[in-house]
Structures are given as structure tokens and as C-alpha cells.
Amino acid sequence: MAVPEATTDRRGVLVLGGGIAGIQAALDLAASRIPVYLVEKSASIGGRMAQLDKTFPTMDCSI
Amino acid sequence: MMDAGRHPNIRLLTNSELVGLEGEAGDFKAQVRRHPRYVSEELCTGCGVCGRNCPVEVLSEFDAGVGKRKAVYVPFPQAVPNIYILDKENCTECGICVEKCPRDAIDLDDPGKDLELKVGSVIVATGFEVFDPTVVKAYGFGLYDNVVTSMQMERLLNASGPTQGHILRPSDGKVPRKIGFVQCVGTRGEAGLQYCSRFCCMNSIKDCMLVKQHAPEIEELKIFYIDIRAAGKGFEEFYQRSLEMPELTYIRGRPSKILEDPQTKDLVVQVEDGEAGKINDFQLDMVVLSSGAVANKTNQKLAEILGIEREETGFFTSGEETGSPLESTKEGIYLCGCASGINDISDSVAQGSGAAAAAEKHLAKLRIEEKKEEIPELDVSGPPRIGVFVCHCGINIAGVLDIDALKKYAETLPDVVFVRDSLFLCSDDGQRRLQDMIKKKKLNRVVAAACTPRTHEPIFRESCARIGLNPYLFEMVNVRDQCSWVHTEEPQEATEKAKDLIRMGVAKARLLEPLYKQSIKIDRKVLVIGGGISGMRAALDLDAQGFQVTLIEKEGKLGGSLNDIHRIYPQDLSASELVETMMQKIKNSKIEVLTEIEITDIKGFIGNFEVFTSKGGLKVGTIVLAIGGELYEPEGDFGYGKFKNVITNLDLERMIRDNQGDIIIDGEKPTTVAFIQCVGSRDLEKNPACSRFCCPTTIKQALELKKRGTNVVVFHRDMRTVGTRAEEHYRKAREMGVRFLKYSPEMKPQVVGEGKASGVELLEPALNRNLTLPVDAVVLACGMIPNEVETGRLQGILKVPRGADGFFMERHAKLGPVETTVEGVFVCGTAQGPKDISDSIAQGSAAAAKVATFICRDTIELEPTTSIVDADMCRGCGKCVRVCEFLAPKLVEKSPGIFVAEINQALCKGCGTCASWCPTGAITAKHFTDRQVESMIETFLTEAV
Amino acid sequence: MSTKLSSITKKKTSEKKFTPRIVVFACNWCSYAGADNAGVSRIQYSPNFRIIRTMCSGRVTPGMVLKAFKLGADGVLVSGCHLGDCHYIFGNHRAIENFERTQAIIKTLGLEEGRLRLEWVSAAEGPRFGQLIDEFVGEVTKLGPSPLNNSNRRK
């Protein structure tokens, strides 16, 4: 049985997905003083980009 | 990624899922299910004892199935949060981990949690799945050992992947000599998917370059492709560089079959050569299937929960049709990244920011009140007490350098009172221990021997600041990127070098001084320069958040290049209606619109810009550059200017816009029209970049002509129909009988005729002879170039740099597409590079989000690493004034006839050039003082190990 | 230790030979980033140098370079962004002027011109950074120990 947790009071933006787009959205909102709930179905954020070695065209390391 | 895990305004809910949503925009209630992790997030420190002792090994999802993990694991080394998770499916419940965990963090009966959250808006950024290539039976994925997916290749290439970056053939662990990449697996008409997934071409090119770097002995690299779609800023240039690799050949055609030699496990790729009418065989050691991206299977369920619509493709339906590419079909729910279709990284980042801007408007009145956390400052007076922390970075550093030797050596250095190593110093856990030690050992200077300060210094500085240690008392020593990674084969020399570097870092640390950030007031008003689609979008998004915006346009009317466009591809959206709708919205907003206005000068700095225009001055705090690009003028190319029936795609667009019936070119209704692609783009001399939108534009125009009964032939190099539904329209055009002929840059088509163009001549490579196609008109698909006059002028005034392509340069090609190196100045739309309307709109929104991050406060903090003048030592020579490009130093008359330099701290960028030119040594470049730099030189050369 | 990543042959360490000591000044935005890029790309090159990071190549004073030579450095490399790419617009132009002034002085000190170099390396030019270091180390090795490097070395 799941234990219900008390409702979180602050109203914020719900971001679904912790890949690069979701992280970017969350960071910009947070920097603009908006509370964010970043929901990710896997155990870590990072998404696809965390799997990449380097990215084109600058060959930057992706994390 | 690290930042998102650390930000106080972000609550991370990993291993969680949305299960219900009620209410409406501004006032939703979201039910979130936190699945059981079986490891307590509060207690776990990520120490890894559980994983090391777990007896179960399974294939790692993160390594795309080419590596292994335990049943209790962290998904990858830099995971955020760095907390273990137990995989109940594979766990044997032996209980070893429960017993071994030093913090009793593991609970095999964890029930999970249900949360209810109050949310004002929702952003859907749920990404994509990779197409499962087992469906394409002819390629033998899953049957042949040496056929892998591009994601698997990515993990093989990754230095922190399962093979430490060695490319090894799955069948025998040998280094392959010949590798083939098969493009469009699952996409572009295969296996039922019509669309193009946009990034795979570039990804394979990148992989080829990386293979060459990781395994220089590689003999052959082959890319089997239909069109190379290098459509994005800097992409074409990247593709051109790949053409210089002797090992790499591009082979046009979709392989029909892959065969395996059951003994050697070598592969044969069969490709039909359509023109020669035969099948070519290619012998390869390994084949990488460039699998396309598909919509998440879970999208259907999510769409039901959210109450939004989906496309046939499974992606969510966006408002792209109505010029709002980031909106879903429900108010208050926004889409970004690969939620509504396939995007590459920089577009996903721009969309992420853009969605933030849209989502923000529902909560603009509910911003968090920021209380400045008063952290008591640690007392750092007295002699230096230096702590040295050595990071293993997994095996990245520890695999090469002798960590114990480094630790022992560091202990011998002057003023070093504490030394410690850490597996991952940057992990939450590593940082926490660093903080504990600073407090416990009363450290007043910290040196970290780890990776590069360019990425990690901010993280360490913040950790110091949070416990009250002035962050500028931290010094970073780069023993990974500039040592262990580049001297892998000389571990001894590398360790000696690391010792020197640590000694140098300690020498500097001894001289570090606490620095303090100043804050300055900022003006919350925003100036948007350029009234095209992206500028209008940026202005509207800021207005919706309640900010005061001035939008200026040099022409008499808003709309920019949209005013020339008839209908916007790939949707059937009327450009004039879109402009009209947006103008109406602007009219109903508080945005101040000034037209027929020119900027003459801008003075000042972030938060305090003074703008001088032909119609008077204004004061703003931030500036958005949305000045757009221009179409290339093809004067003299392909008979343009000589023949009246050779026109540009823009000319044709205007004709289609103004004419519902027949299109009349040079007085006649043409029977056959030829399009020539890549005019003034993908041209090494004129403009090497691909402009991205011309191929889809041509398709749209070809369909318009076809509807009116005109025959169409398109001469192209690669049809780059990327973006929503563009590939589907390309298919439709082919079905409707539009002919597509490929040409190479060495053999460009020639427009021939007397008095008027009457044919297009092209070398037919298969027949090796010239073929002349009779035509009645020629349309040149002209690429986009920067608006030279305006871009140049604003570069001069604002010092925003331009890239090699002449467009404004973004701060980071992937992660900062709408920021510039000048603080407080942002760029969006085609001022940053060629792009289509949807991407321009997304960038407009993104720029708005970035502006909001500044102007949601009254003040900003300035970096204290600037230069300052000691007035007593200054003799007023003015050299500093002459060498500074940012107008920071000024001579001030202190007493009659006595001038002394002063440096405006808000303008100073901290380069330290003035300090190097000051003849009296009156200028100090903080954090890089003469004494600090010289002490590093001294200790390197005089105190050799 | 991980196994070989590149085909560069292992240098012999058995015989005692002159290994130069070189100071490299690298600007934060381009050259230092280029050196990082070499790492990210696992470029293998000579370890006989130590990098000192400054924000801009224009920050490097003649005094710093001369100090290095005075203390026995066998070579000094100042590196910055390519012309036109400077993060501070013309900082690297100032570096050229500083370099020319310094070059004139080291000649009068009796040092070979080849011991001091100014080079541009961008953030994306990891391979070039490695090549450049190898090349410079080679050149300085050919020149032999600096005439000024004697008393200050402990061994």
C-alpha cells in the first residue's frame, strides 16, 4: 500500500521528462523564481543526451 | 544536469510517473506516483557498497545492452541524483545489500509514494524511443552479432562506456577494420514510418569521426544513405569536413539485405545501384543501424491523462498549424523536445526554454520570494590551511595516475593540512564530504585535483559558498582533461605532471583572497529589435508575464519576411493570417511598438542600457536581437538577371501569394518549371552553410505549381526535408509526379537558352553525357545569408560576436542557442542562423524565457573577478583606457590636472589585459594577480619534484 | 591502467635524455578549452609542459614570460583565441603586441627566438593543441637546455 504524502503547497510548473529539453525548461523556470516539479520515469535525469559520447557539430562532451 | 539536481527551486521526482491531472490552466492538480526505489533517497550516499556486493548481473539499459549492471545500481556514473535503485524484477531478494548497507537505506518492502501537486501549467518533454530494428528482418539485427544500433555504437565509443571507448566487435572482441552505417532504418517510408528523424545522418557522420579517433587503424567507413541531411547551424560544414576523411565513403542507396558469414561473422551489405541496374556487395566487419526515433509507446496513456491529442505518428499534436509550435491542444500544457516531433539537441534546448516562457505566464504572479540566505562566513584569517581533494573520476583519473602517490606528495606541500581522495568528487556525496572536511579541519583554502574548471568550478564554488567559505578561496587543478586523458600511455610522466600541477595549484591557493559579488540595480524594461515572427513572439511572451516591452522595427510594418510568404510549409497556414493574428495580439497587449526607426547607438551594460534611435532615446535592461537574415541575391547565377524567366523562390512565393489562379512567369504560364536547389548555400566559396528551409519550401511551391497543372523538375544535391511533415510532403510530391534529379557541386546544372531560359543541362553520370531538359521557367532556391548591414552595425555597437557564417554567434551551439557572450543581450530567429518559421518562433519564446531569468529580479550580481585600480599608484597615462574594448576604464580628474583611471565594475569583463599593460602596476586583475600567476611559474621551475 | 588508445608509439624512458620544461599560458575561452578538448578526444601528446590558465592571452605580461625564462624554463608558449574569436574582442591582438615586446627582450638575453611562441588554438581544436605541443616540445628539445637553466634546478 502506498503511503500518501502531504500535498505540497507551492504551486509550480510540472515538467514531465528529465531529458535535455525538460532540464532546460526546469532550469529557466527555476532561475525565474518559479517552483518546478521535474518528474522523470527512470532513476536519473539526463535522458538520451547522457548516453552520448560527444555531440555534433562541435564535438562537445555532452554532459 | 548537475545544476538541475542542485537548484533550490527544482524538486526532482525520479522513478516517478504522472497518473492523473485535474483542473485547468493556472490551477491543475497533478497526481504523481513515486514508484518504489527500495533505496531511501534520504539515506543513500551513493557509496556503492550494495552494488559491489550484489550477486546479480544483468544487461545495462544505459549501455543499450552492450554493458552489464547489478540488480542494485546507479544507472550511470554521473547520475543525478546519485542514489542507488533496486531492480525488483531481477533481484533475487538474497538480502546481502540490505545487510551490507552502512546506512540501512535499503528496504525491500518499499511501497512507494503518491503525491498530489498544485501546478499552474505542464511541460511535456517526454522524448522519444529508438525504433526497434528487429522489425526490419532483412538487416538481421538480433540474429547477427555484429549488427548493432547507433545507440550501442555510441556506448562503445564512450570512454566511460562498457569497453572504455574501444570499439570491439561483439562476436569476437576484435577491433573492426571495416564498418558500415545504414541510414534511415525504420524511417522515411520503411516499416510504415514516413517521416525523417532528422538527427541520424549527423550522428553517423559524428560516429565515423569518433571511430577514426578511437581506432586510427580503421580501414573503411561506409555510410549508406538516401540523402545526407546536414540541416542545422554548422552541420553542413561538419559534413564537408567528413568528406576529407580518406577512409569514409558515402554510398547512395538503401541496402536491401545484410548477410552474415556464419563462420567469420563478417557481413555483406547489398545495395541496389538503381542507375546501373545491379546489386553491389560490400564486405564489412561490423554494421551500425542508424535507427530512427519513434514516439514513446506511453504517449497514448499520457495523452489520456493530460487530455491532449496525438498525431497518427504517436507524437503529441502541437499548435504548429496556428503558429504556436510549443502549444498542445489544451491550454496550460506545452510541448518541447521530441514531444511533438523529432528535434536535435539545440532545437530541443531552445524549445525547452520556449516552453518555460509559455508555462511561466500562468504563474508570473506566484514567483518565489527570495530570501537571501544569510550564511555566516567562515573565518579565513590567519595562515592558509589548505585542503587538497583528489578525484578518481571513476577510472578516468585513477586508471592512469597513481592517486596514492599524489596524496602523499600533496601532504608535503606548504600549508597543506589535509588531503583526501574521492571516487567522484563532483557527486552529491563527494561534495558533502568536501564540505564536512572544510568545517571539521577548519580549511580556509581548497584545492581540487579533478577535471576542468570550465565545467566544474561553479559546482565546487557553490559547495564552498553554502557552508560559508568564500568561493574564491577555491582553486581547481586539471588532472583529467589535460593530464590523465592525454598521457594515458605514460602513467609515470603523467603522475609527475599531476604532482607539478597540484603544487602549482597549492601555490596559487596560498595567495587567494576572498572576493565579494556586488549587486547592481537593473531596469526591467526589455527592448526587442526586429518585428519579424521571432521578435513578435519574444515580445508577446514577455508581455504575457507582465514585463514592459518595446518592440522596434525598421520597416513601416511588423511581420518581417512573413509578409513575403504565401503559405507556410508544411502546414497549410496562411502567412498573412499568422501575421494578422500576432499583430492583433500585440495591439491588445501593453507592448510599445515603434516602426520606421533606426538604432544609432547603444551604451551601457546589462540592466542599464541606454539606446539611441532616430526617434529619441530609451532605457532598457535587456535586449533581444531578432533582426532576421536575408535571402541570397543570385545575380549572375544560373542566368538570373540575364533571363527574365529565371526567378528566385521568393519571387515565386510572392506570385503564389498574390495569385489564386495561374502563375505567369515572364508573360507566360509555364508548362515545365525547373527548381535548382542550393543557390548561394552549400557553396564552399559563397556560403558553406545549408539554409535548411529551402528544400521544404521548394516542395511546398512544387505542390502549388503541380496543383495548377505545371510540370516540375527539381535539381538537388540532397533533398533535406527535415521537420514536421516535410518528408511526407516530399513523398506526396514524388507521387504527384514531381521529378527529382540529383547533381553534384562539381557538375552543376547549366541554364541554357537565347533571350530566355529554355532548358537545363545536366551531366547524366550513368550515361556520362549531358542531358538537356526543356523548361519554360527556372526557380532558384536561394539560401539565407546574414543581414550584413544590420548585423555588422549591431556587432559594432553591442560587441556581439558573429560566427564564420556571419550570423550572430550563440553562447553555446547546443546548450545556449539564444544567449550571446554579451550579458543581457539575446538572439533569436534567423539573426542566429537560417531556420524555418516554427524554429524561429520557438527561439523567440526561448529568448523571452532567458530575459525573464534576469528581469524577474530588481538586481543582478556581478562577477567579482574584475580588475581594479590602485589610485595611489596610477599616474593617469591612459593605456588601460586604450586597450579595453568594453569601455570599462575611464580617466577621472581627481584634482585639477591630475587624472587617475577608474574601472567601471559593471563593464569590466575581467580579461586582465589592462593589468598587463599598466606600466606602474596600479591595476590588479583579481583572481589572476601578477603574484598569483608568478608564484605558479616559480614553483613549477624551482621546486621540481 | 587502460590499454593503448592510439597508435602513437610509447616513448623510451630508459635512456637519460633532455626533457624540456615548458610553460604554456592558455586563455580560458579558447586555448584552455582546446586543451580540454584534446582530453575529451583522448589525443595523446607529450607531457613535458605545464599549463597556466589566464582569462585572456592579453593578460600574459612580458614580466611573466621573462620570469619563466629567468627561472630556467626551456620554452614558453602563449596561446589564445584565433584572431577575430577573442572572447574580449581584441585581447589577443594585445597579446601579439606583448609577444613582440618580449621577443625583442629575450633576444638581448641571448635566448633563441624559437623558445618563445605565440599560437592560436580554438576550443574545438583539441587535436591541433596536441600537435602543437608535440611540435614545440620537439623544437625546444632540439635547441637543448636553456642557457639560463642551471642553478635553479634541484636536480
Side-chain angles (χ1 to χ4, degrees):
Chain A
M1 248 305 289
V3 185
E5 193 177 88
T7 307
T8 314
D9 272 346
R10 278 227 77 100
R11 183 172 300 163
V13 175
L14 179 68
V15 178
L16 301 174
I20 187 69
I23 290 176
Q24 188 60 52
L27 285 173
D28 286 339
L29 287 163
S32 302
R33 297 164 41 204
I34 305 275
V36 180
Y37 302 104
L38 179 53
V39 172
E40 163 62 40
K41 68 173 188 294
S42 76
S44 169
I45 57 169
R48 292 280 166 200
M49 193 156 157
Q51 282 180 294
L52 305 181
D53 182 31
K54 294 187 185 65
T55 59
F56 53 81
T58 50
M59 289 295 201
D60 280 352
C61 149
S62 56
I63 295 191
Chain B
M1 204 170 124
M2 290 282 312
D3 297 344
R6 299 166 66 88
H7 203 291
N9 296 349
I10 300 177
R11 181 151 175 223
L12 271 190
L13 300 164
T14 51
N15 206 32
S16 302
E17 201 179 349
L18 180 75
V19 290
L21 185 79
E22 293 158 26
E24 54 185 41
D27 189 18
F28 289 113
K29 277 198 180 65
Q31 275 82 40
V32 173
R33 167 97 185 117
R34 303 203 74 182
H35 294 295
R37 193 176 187 115
Y38 307 104
V39 181
S40 158
E41 293 201 8
E42 289 74 36
L43 294 173
C44 175
T45 61
C47 71
V49 168
C50 53
R52 272 199 298 280
N53 287 292
C54 174
V56 184
E57 260 196 355
V58 290
L59 289 176
S60 152
E61 296 84 1
F62 183 74
D63 283 335
V66 288
K68 296 240 166 83
R69 65 159 172 84
K70 296 295 184 71
V72 57
Y73 66 106
V74 276
F76 54 100
Q78 296 95 332
V80 176
N82 186 24
I83 291 171
Y84 276 68
I85 179 167
L86 190 138
D87 156 19
K88 214 45 185 287
E89 249 174 63
N90 290 298
C91 173
T92 56
E93 306 207 15
C94 67
I96 294 177
C97 57
V98 181
E99 203 178 293
K100 293 273 181 185
C101 177
R103 305 199 59 184
D104 290 331
I106 303 176
D107 173 10
L108 293 176
D109 301 316
D110 181 1
K113 261 178 199 167
D114 286 313
L115 303 178
E116 188 175 88
L117 306 170
K118 279 203 245 171
V119 294
S121 45
V122 181
I123 292 175
V124 183
T126 43
F128 63 91
E129 280 173 21
V130 177
F131 172 79
D132 174 11
T134 44
V135 176
V136 188
K137 294 237 160 36
Y139 292 167
F141 178 78
L143 294 174
Y144 307 155
D145 290 347
N146 295 325
V147 175
V148 299
T149 64
S150 43
M151 218 21 129
Q152 289 175 326
M153 190 62 178
E154 201 67 51
R155 298 309 302 155
L156 289 174
L157 283 167
N158 198 307
S160 56
T163 55
Q164 284 91 43
H166 302 286
I167 307 148
L168 305 174
R169 236 161 65 124
S171 71
D172 51 13
K174 285 196 187 131
V175 179
R177 306 261 153 186
K178 300 172 180 179
I179 305 179
F181 290 79
V182 179
Q183 297 308 114
C184 305
V185 176
T187 49
R188 297 192 64 187
E190 214 183 39
L193 299 178
Q194 301 300 313
Y195 58 83
C196 155
S197 58
R198 196 160 178 167
F199 55 71
C200 340
C201 283
M202 292 304 292
N203 199 61
S204 290
I205 300 173
K206 176 198 76 176
D207 280 353
C208 285
M209 290 192 174
L210 290 177
V211 167
K212 176 79 188 292
Q213 279 176 17
H214 287 237
E217 60 272 37
I218 191 86
E219 284 160 17
E220 282 179 28
L221 291 163
K222 301 240 180 309
I223 294 181
F224 302 96
Y225 74 105
I226 305 172
D227 298 280
I228 288 295
R229 295 197 163 158
K233 188 168 179 173
F235 291 7
E236 174 67 17
E237 292 88 330
F238 188 77
Y239 168 48
Q240 289 298 330
R241 260 184 284 150
S242 80
L243 295 174
E244 289 162 17
M245 283 169 64
E247 304 82 3
L248 174 58
T249 11
Y250 287 89
I251 293 148
R252 192 153 188 255
R254 196 201 288 269
S256 50
K257 209 169 176 50
I258 298 175
L259 305 169
E260 185 196 53
D261 180 328
Q263 244 80 61
T264 60
K265 305 279 179 190
D266 290 346
L267 303 162
V268 175
V269 174
Q270 297 190 327
V271 188
E272 193 178 343
D273 182 342
E275 275 147 7
K278 59 172 181 157
I279 289 176
N280 293 324
D281 284 357
F282 296 89
Q283 309 280 337
L284 296 162
D285 300 335
M286 191 169 163
V287 172
V288 181
L289 301 181
S290 218
S291 268
V294 295
N296 284 338
K297 283 184 217 72
T298 50
N299 280 5
Q300 189 185 351
K301 197 173 137 205
L302 186 58
E304 280 166 21
I305 293 170
L306 292 169
I308 60 175
E309 285 165 30
R310 285 188 316 144
E311 297 290 298
E312 265 173 44
T313 51
F315 292 105
F316 299 108
T317 305
S318 78
E320 201 172 349
E321 312 275 344
T322 51
S324 320
L326 307 176
E327 284 174 18
S328 73
T329 50
K330 185 166 169 179
E331 195 183 359
I333 300 181
Y334 303 96
L335 309 170
C336 64
C338 295
S340 62
I342 306 301
N343 280 299
D344 63 37
I345 295 169
S346 63
D347 289 327
S348 294
V349 169
Q351 287 199 356
S353 290
E360 225 166 314
K361 63 173 181 268
H362 302 286
L363 289 145
K365 292 201 177 76
L366 295 169
R367 292 186 206 273
I368 297 168
E369 288 305 318
E370 280 172 323
K371 285 181 291 234
K372 249 228 144 142
E373 237 184 297
E374 286 302 329
I375 304 168
E377 207 173 310
L378 297 181
D379 179 19
V380 297
S381 59
R385 291 178 58 80
I386 303 176
V388 177
F389 295 82
V390 185
C391 179
H392 293 220
C393 195
I395 58 156
N396 283 308
I397 294 169
V400 178
L401 305 183
D402 181 345
I403 302 281
D404 282 334
L406 294 182
K407 277 171 65 185
K408 276 202 194 98
Y409 179 69
E411 279 166 6
T412 66
L413 296 171
D415 296 334
V416 172
V417 296
F418 181 74
V419 179
R420 174 165 220 167
D421 60 330
S422 167
L423 189 59
F424 286 102
L425 195 54
C426 65
S427 66
D428 285 353
D429 187 43
Q431 297 285 294
R432 208 161 38 232
R433 286 189 209 183
L434 180 122
Q435 291 174 323
D436 290 346
M437 286 306 130
I438 292 172
K439 285 189 279 192
K440 205 168 148 196
K441 302 285 172 188
K442 297 199 175 354
L443 304 177
N444 58 18
R445 304 284 189 282
V446 176
V447 174
C451 52
T452 171
R454 291 177 51 258
T455 56
H456 281 65
E457 194 175 62
I459 296 166
F460 285 101
R461 278 185 176 171
E462 203 198 311
S463 292
C464 291
R466 283 200 181 176
I467 53 159
L469 180 68
N470 187 288
Y472 297 91
L473 297 174
F474 169 80
E475 178 66 16
M476 198 151 178
V477 176
N478 188 335
V479 294
R480 188 189 71 181
D481 305 48
Q482 298 180 2
C483 193
S484 69
W485 275 353
V486 291
H487 312 307
T488 315
E489 293 155 29
E490 297 162 278
Q492 246 175 339
E493 284 90 338
T495 303
E496 291 308 303
K497 175 172 170 179
K499 284 182 186 172
D500 280 352
L501 292 174
I502 291 174
R503 187 174 73 249
M504 290 159 76
V506 167
K508 182 169 176 186
R510 295 172 75 193
L511 299 170
L512 289 175
E513 278 170 36
L515 301 176
Y516 299 92
K517 286 184 175 170
Q518 281 183 345
S519 37
I520 52 165
K521 276 228 165 284
I522 67 166
D523 193 322
R524 290 188 165 193
K525 285 197 285 299
V526 187
L527 173 67
V528 178
I529 307 176
I533 188 78
S534 63
M536 289 198 282
R537 187 70 259 167
L540 281 168
D541 281 354
L542 285 162
D543 177 74
Q545 292 187 40
F547 296 119
Q548 216 180 319
V549 186
T550 303
L551 175 62
I552 64 171
E553 166 60 47
K554 68 176 189 320
E555 304 292 333
K557 115 183 225 224
L558 296 178
S561 54
L562 273 192
N563 290 328
D564 289 322
I565 297 174
H566 166 58
R567 298 190 93 78
I568 298 165
Y569 74 79
Q571 318 79 9
D572 217 13
L573 168 65
S574 152
S576 57
E577 277 171 32
L578 177 58
V579 173
E580 203 44 59
T581 326
M582 291 193 68
M583 280 196 328
Q584 204 51 48
K585 280 187 193 161
I586 287 174
K587 235 176 240 160
N588 297 336
S589 73
K590 293 199 185 93
I591 300 169
E592 178 188 22
V593 180
L594 303 170
T595 52
E596 290 180 304
I597 185 170
E598 208 163 84
I599 287 177
T600 50
D601 199 6
I602 297 174
K603 286 203 167 78
F605 47 91
I606 177 160
N608 302 275
F609 289 108
E610 207 180 341
V611 183
F612 302 89
T613 75
S614 53
K615 291 186 174 172
L618 66 152
K619 284 186 176 155
V620 297
T622 40
I623 297 173
V624 176
L625 301 175
I627 58 168
E630 262 173 16
L631 286 182
Y632 170 75
E633 272 290 328
E635 209 54 53
D637 298 343
F638 301 103
Y640 186 83
K642 186 169 142 206
F643 303 133
K644 277 200 178 131
N645 60 343
V646 177
I647 61 173
T648 67
N649 46 354
L650 182 62
D651 297 331
L652 178 62
E653 191 66 42
R654 288 188 183 126
M655 290 174 189
I656 298 173
R657 179 195 63 192
D658 299 336
N659 206 326
Q660 298 304 312
D662 288 341
I663 299 297
I664 307 296
I665 300 173
D666 191 23
E668 277 173 52
K669 182 194 169 188
T671 316
T672 304
V673 170
F675 283 82
I676 298 176
Q677 298 303 107
C678 302
V679 178
S681 60
R682 296 187 69 189
D683 181 322
L684 293 180
E685 278 158 39
K686 287 176 182 136
N687 171 26
C690 160
S691 297
R692 188 161 172 170
F693 60 82
C694 348
C695 281
T697 303
T698 291
I699 297 287
K700 175 193 70 176
Q701 294 181 341
L703 288 171
E704 287 281 346
L705 291 176
K706 207 70 198 172
K707 261 194 268 173
R708 292 164 164 88
T710 307
N711 296 321
V712 180
V713 191
V714 179
F715 293 88
H716 70 100
R717 289 174 53 194
D718 297 279
M719 280 313 288
R720 292 186 169 170
T721 40
V722 295
T724 317
R725 281 195 281 286
E727 178 68 17
E728 289 88 327
H729 282 86
Y730 175 32
R731 169 175 291 255
K732 188 171 157 200
R734 282 183 317 219
E735 282 166 4
M736 284 175 71
V738 175
R739 283 182 70 191
F740 291 88
L741 294 172
K742 199 171 154 92
Y743 75 88
S744 69
E746 300 82 36
M747 291 292 174
K748 282 189 184 169
Q750 303 293 320
V751 175
V752 293
E754 274 176 43
K756 60 187 283 184
S758 60
V760 178
E761 204 177 272
L762 182 74
L763 181 87
E764 188 62 54
L767 307 169
N768 199 25
R769 66 180 170 88
N770 277 332
L771 206 88
T772 305
L773 264 135
V775 298
D776 308 297
V778 177
V779 180
L780 305 180
C782 295
M784 185 166 270
I785 53 170
N787 176 337
E788 195 50 50
V789 179
E790 288 300 305
T791 314
R793 211 153 57 108
L794 284 165
Q795 177 195 27
I797 293 174
L798 280 168
K799 316 281 182 204
V800 174
R802 295 164 69 180
D805 54 7
F807 290 96
F808 283 127
M809 200 163 75
E810 61 287 325
R811 183 182 61 75
H812 189 288
K814 292 280 173 227
L815 305 178
V818 298
E819 292 148 87
T820 73
T821 52
V822 180
E823 284 225 81
V825 179
F826 305 87
V827 62
C828 61
T830 50
Q832 182 254 1
K835 55 182 63 68
D836 65 23
I837 289 164
S838 287
D839 290 339
S840 296
I841 293 172
Q843 279 205 346
S845 289
K850 292 293 176 193
V851 167
T853 63
F854 281 99
I855 60 172
C856 69
R857 294 176 186 81
D858 290 320
T859 55
I860 51 156
E861 287 192 321
L862 299 175
E863 257 310 307
T865 50
T866 49
S867 293
I868 46 164
V869 183
D870 179 346
D872 292 339
M873 287 169 77
C874 175
R875 59 166 205 232
C877 70
K879 271 210 170 99
C880 52
V881 179
R882 284 199 295 280
V883 299
C884 181
E885 296 302 322
F886 302 95
L887 319 170
K890 247 195 213 116
L891 286 180
V892 184
E893 195 163 9
K894 280 281 165 193
S895 51
I898 307 292
F899 287 86
V900 170
E902 265 176 19
I903 296 176
N904 180 338
Q905 295 297 297
L907 289 177
C908 178
K909 305 274 178 200
C911 68
T913 301
C914 56
S916 82
W917 281 74
C918 177
T920 63
I923 300 180
T924 304
K926 287 189 281 181
H927 212 62
F928 292 92
T929 66
D930 285 3
R931 267 195 71 207
Q932 287 166 355
V933 174
E934 285 172 10
S935 74
M936 294 174 82
I937 302 171
E938 257 169 45
T939 190
F940 165 42
L941 294 164
T942 60
E943 293 160 33
V945 188
Chain C
M1 238 296 292
S2 72
T3 42
K4 259 166 85 120
L5 289 178
S6 91
S7 65
I8 297 172
T9 49
K10 196 164 173 145
K11 292 200 180 70
K12 280 173 278 175
T13 44
S14 51
E15 51 190 282
K16 276 262 181 225
K17 58 173 196 181
F18 167 59
T19 45
R21 292 189 305 165
I22 291 168
V23 176
V24 176
F25 293 99
C27 80
N28 181 63
W29 305 98
C30 294
S31 306
Y32 193 89
D36 282 347
N37 181 285
V40 173
S41 324
R42 305 298 192 281
I43 306 289
Q44 301 294 307
Y45 58 92
S46 167
N48 303 329
F49 71 100
R50 307 291 178 254
I51 288 185
I52 293 175
R53 180 171 69 117
T54 56
M55 291 311 281
C56 179
S57 53
R59 172 71 188 102
V60 182
T61 66
M64 292 172 187
V65 175
L66 293 173
K67 176 139 208 158
F69 279 123
K70 204 180 104 197
L71 296 175
D74 301 303
V76 176
L77 172 68
V78 180
S79 57
C81 310
H82 284 280
L83 294 179
D85 284 347
C86 175
H87 189 76
Y88 306 104
I89 309 173
F90 287 125
N92 47 4
H93 288 257
R94 306 297 169 222
I96 299 179
E97 294 164 47
N98 269 337
F99 170 77
E100 284 167 356
R101 285 198 283 164
T102 321
Q103 193 70 283
I105 303 171
I106 72 158
K107 260 194 277 181
T108 62
L109 289 175
L111 285 169
E112 298 89 339
E113 260 181 66
R115 293 190 188 274
L116 175 61
R117 257 172 94 165
L118 175 68
E119 291 286 347
W120 314 130
V121 178
S122 82
E125 289 177 332
R128 194 182 118 74
F129 185 85
Q131 232 173 28
L132 184 67
I133 293 290
D134 276 343
E135 206 182 286
F136 190 48
V137 168
E139 254 172 63
V140 174
T141 310
K142 246 186 257 163
L143 289 172
S146 156
L148 301 180
N149 120 7
N150 39 34
S151 56
N152 288 310
R153 235 189 228 196
R154 276 192 205 153
K155 45 175 190 179

